[in-house]
Amino acid sequence: MKSAQGEMVKLPFREDYIKAYRFIGPASIFSGQQFNEMRQRYASAFKGRGGHLVAVKMDDTAQIAAILLEAITAELSVFLDRVGMDDVSLKGIGAALVVEVDGQLRHTGGYQSDRNTSRVLIQTSGTTGVPKIAEHEIDRLLGRIKIPATMSSARWLMSYHPKSFAGLQVLLTFLSGGHELVYGLEHTVSDLVCLALQYKPTHISATPTFWRSLMMAGGQVLPLKVITLGGEAVDQVLLDSLRRAFPGALIQHIYASTEAGALFGVKDGLAGFPVKWLESGTEGVRFRINGDRVLEVHSPRMMARYSKKREMPLSGDGWLITGDIVDLKGDRVFFAGRQDSMINVGGSKVRPEEVETLACTVEGVHDALVYGIKNPVVGQLVAMDMVLVSGIKEAQVRQKLDDLFVKKLERHKIPRVIKVVENIEANKSGKKVRK
C-alpha cells in the first residue's frame, strides 16, 4: 500500500497473529478460521476495485475488522457510516459500494476516485452541529501502532463504538497484535461495564466516565494489565484511584480526536502533560496555546481533510485549532474544558470541567456533571448533578462541597442547585452528555 507521498507503507498486521484471533461477540464467538472466512468474502468483493470507496452501514465489530483489513489490502477507502446516509448522500462523497446492516454488498452506481491512497472516512460526533466527515490516510492512522515481537495473550474490550475514531484506534491496535476482542452491539456505559465484569478483559481503553462507573460496580477484581483513558479530561483523583486498584497495570491517558488524530500518550501517572512539551513537542507533535488559551497542534497524524471540501479548523499558518482550553500550572499543562461547553453567568464564563474536577476531590463524590440552567436575571446559573459513593451521608458531603466551593471558586462559578442522581448519562462515545 502506498502513502499520499507515493511511498510504500508497511501495514502493522501479521497473518500468523490474525489467524489466532478470537472475537467474542453478543451472539457468537468467531474463531481465527471463521474470521478468515469472513475476510475472504470481502477480499473477493473488493478485488480489482482499488481507488473505490466502500460505505459500511453494519455495526458488528468483527465484520468491520474484516472489511478494514481487506479494503486496506486492496487499496480501497472505507467510510464508516454511523447515521445511515441515503444513496444520494453516499454518491455525493463518492461511495461506489455499500455493506448493508445485514452484511449484503451492493453498488450505488456512483464512483469517484480522487483519492490516491487508502483512506478511512469517519463522522464527527455532531455535538456542536451537523456531523462532518473527516478523511484519514491509512499511514497516519497507523502512526502510533506498532507490531509486537510476539503475539500477546491480551483480551481487549471494545468500549467505544467501532465506527468512532477512538473505536477505530482500539480495533487497529488489537489487529496489530491482540489475541481476543470482547464486543457488544450496545455501547452504553452500563452495558460495557457488564461486559467487562462478565468476560474479565486484560486491556481496556475507555473514557473517564466509563472508568468511574466500572470502579463503582466493583471492577477492581478485573485482571487488568493495560488501562488507557481518553475522550475526556482526566483528573488526578481518578488516576490515583486506578493506581491503587491496579498497582501492576500500565496506566496511560491519551490525547486524540477525530480531526487531530492520535497525538500522544502520558504514562507518568499525572494529569495533564509536561509543560516542556510546548517547546520540545513529543511523538512528532508540536503544541502552542493561542490568545484564547486554546490548544493548537501541528501533527503528522491529523486528518487529511473534510469531505465535500468543508473548511478545516486551521489557523492562518496551518495549525489545527483543537477547541480544548488549557491551563498552565507549575510544570504541567492541564485540560480545562471545551470552548463550546462554557456556561454564561451574567457575562462571566464558567467551565463545567473545572467545577466537576473540584467536586470529585471531596470524599464521597463518585462523579459529577455541571451544567447551566436558565435564569431570567443573569441568563444562566450553575447547577450540578452528583453520584455519591454507596453508604456515604449526603448531608456531610453537601457541607464539605459548600465549604470547598466558597474557598476555591469565584462566586459566579458556585453551583446554586445540586442534585444527587444514581448515574451520569453518557452518550455512545462514552462521554458525559452535556445538558
Side-chain angles (χ1 to χ4, degrees), residues 318-369:
W319 287 59
L320 183 73
I321 304 169
T322 67
D324 291 313
I325 301 170
V326 294
D327 287 336
L328 274 65
K329 296 180 181 178
D331 62 353
R332 304 293 287 189
V333 179
F334 294 94
F335 291 97
R338 296 280 303 169
Q339 274 185 306
D340 49 38
S341 68
M342 291 285 200
I343 302 169
N344 191 331
V345 181
S348 297
K349 299 297 179 65
V350 180
R351 296 171 305 191
E353 294 88 349
E354 176 187 3
V355 184
E356 291 168 1
T357 299
L358 185 61
C360 287
T361 64
V362 172
E363 184 179 359
V365 178
H366 176 71
D367 202 358
L369 175 71

Side-chain angles (χ1 to χ4, degrees), residues 49 60 72 146 170 192 219 252 293 297 374 380 401 430:
R49 295 186 177 276
D60 183 86
I72 292 171
K146 310 299 180 186
V170 171
L192 292 169
Q252 62 178 337
R293 295 168 52 212
V297 299
K374 292 182 179 180
Q380 286 182 302
L401 284 171

